[in-house]
């Protein structure tokens, strides 16, 4: 079975450019999460969706970050404009299980902002 | 200059040994705990979970122990194998719904053949 699919796997861009990261959750999963992982801060929850609706975006760093989930099989995380401190690995995860922490993570998108 | 990153604690063991990875959690109101494994270049992978009304739970080759008195969680891996080499994270649900998981900083496990 296909797991969570993220693209691109690697992105190198220059400061000020727009970055869009994409995620396809596992079919049938109704909750989707975006995490960011850095050496300095570890793994941080940015936002999560339930049934395509954003439930908690308190982890989104600032207005430069936005996330959408237009349908059950697709989500985007956009950074505009990007800054060097946004360099990180961004993970998408999904689950169909209520009352559990068993999330299924994608392989991540490594973003480097020069 | 270069920023200082997290220095992951590292546990080095020999193949076949038992490994114990420890985690101190922060919130006494947390009611649910999870262990994840992250191999290099991959996303975290769920290993095992435990609710606060339990103090021990066993899986395949893994056991999680919970001590709520001292807010401590441990993951025991029996007969550690080279494939167990990874970074292990504990995560806690701080009682705001399962989605709000707070991850620890991780421990690197190195298994030598």
């Amino acid at each position: 079975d296909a797991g969570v699919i993220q693209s691109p796997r690697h992105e190198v861009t220059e400061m000020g450019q727009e970055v869009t990261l994409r995620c396809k959750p596992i079919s049938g999963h109704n909750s989707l999460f975006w995490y960011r992982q850095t050496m300095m801060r570890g793994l941080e929850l940015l936002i999560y969706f339930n049934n395509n609706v954003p439930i908690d975006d308190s982890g989104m760093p600032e207005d430069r970050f936005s996330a959408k989930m237009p349908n059950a099989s697709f989500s985007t995380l956009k950074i505009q404009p990007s800054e060097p401190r946004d360099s990180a690995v961004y993970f998408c995860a999904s689950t169909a299980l209520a009352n559990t922490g068993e999330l299924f993570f994608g392989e991540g998108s490594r973003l480097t902002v020069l | 200059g270069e920023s200082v990153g997290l220095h992951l604690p590292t546990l080095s063991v020999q193949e076949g040994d038992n490994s114990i990875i420890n985690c101190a959690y922060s919130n006494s109101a947390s009611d649910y705990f999870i262990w994840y494994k992250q191999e290099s270049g991959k996303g975290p992978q769920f290993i095992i979970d435990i609710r606060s009304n339990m103090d021990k739970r066993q899986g395949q080759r893994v056991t999680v122990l919970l001590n709520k008195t001292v807010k401590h969680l441990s993951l025991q891996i029996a007969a550690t194998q080279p494939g167990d080499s990874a970074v292990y994270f504990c995560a806690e649900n701080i009682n705001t719904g399962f989605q709000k998981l707070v991850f620890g900083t991780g421990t690197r496990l190195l298994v030598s053949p």
Side-chain angles (χ1 to χ4, degrees), chain A residues 9 33 35 37 39-40 42-43 45 48 56 58 91 95 97-103 105-107, chain B residues 3-6 32 34 36 38 41-46 49 51 89 96 98-101 103-104:
Chain A
R9 290 296 313 279
F33 308 78
Y35 281 86
Q37 187 173 41
M39 285 299 295
M40 282 292 292
L43 200 62
L45 176 64
Y48 74 87
D56 187 336
S58 60
F91 287 103
T95 186
L97 305 173
N99 299 319
T100 176
E102 185 172 1
L103 307 183
F105 282 80
E107 297 204 320
Chain B
S3 58
V4 177
L6 292 171
Y32 177 67
I34 313 100
Y36 276 84
Q38 186 176 23
K42 296 189 175 181
Q45 180 183 9
F46 174 90
D49 59 0
R51 299 196 180 276
F89 295 94
T96 58
F98 80 92
Q99 296 90 343
K100 200 84 171 186
L101 298 180
F103 282 79

Side-chain angles (χ1 to χ4, degrees), chain B residues 2-105:
Chain B
E2 185 176 10
S3 58
V4 177
L6 292 171
H7 294 283
L8 290 178
T10 299
L11 175 65
S12 296
V13 301
Q14 294 287 324
E15 182 177 2
D17 288 350
N18 296 332
S19 302
I20 300 176
I21 300 171
N22 297 303
C23 176
Y25 63 92
S26 57
N27 194 321
S28 57
S30 295
D31 62 357
Y32 177 67
F33 305 88
I34 313 100
W35 281 98
Y36 276 84
K37 170 187 180 183
Q38 186 176 23
E39 298 176 17
S40 180
K42 296 189 175 181
Q45 180 183 9
F46 174 90
I47 302 174
I48 191 168
D49 59 0
I50 188 168
R51 299 196 180 276
S52 60
N53 60 354
M54 304 171 67
D55 53 20
K56 180 180 181 179
R57 190 168 186 218
Q58 289 185 287
Q60 187 177 15
R61 278 201 310 119
V62 295
T63 301
V64 56
L65 299 178
L66 175 62
N67 185 330
K68 294 182 288 292
T69 302
V70 295
K71 295 191 288 185
H72 183 267
L73 195 66
S74 69
L75 178 70
Q76 300 179 2
I77 305 174
T80 314
Q81 303 167 0
D84 295 326
S85 294
V87 177
Y88 289 80
F89 295 94
C90 65
E92 61 185 297
N93 168 1
I94 53 174
N95 205 27
T96 58
F98 80 92
Q99 296 90 343
K100 200 84 171 186
L101 298 180
V102 176
F103 282 79
T105 54

Side-chain angles (χ1 to χ4, degrees), chain A residues 46-60:
Chain A
L46 300 178
I47 186 172
Y48 74 87
F49 296 83
N50 194 45
N51 293 322
N52 312 338
V53 176
I55 302 300
D56 187 336
D57 65 354
S58 60
M60 296 286 264

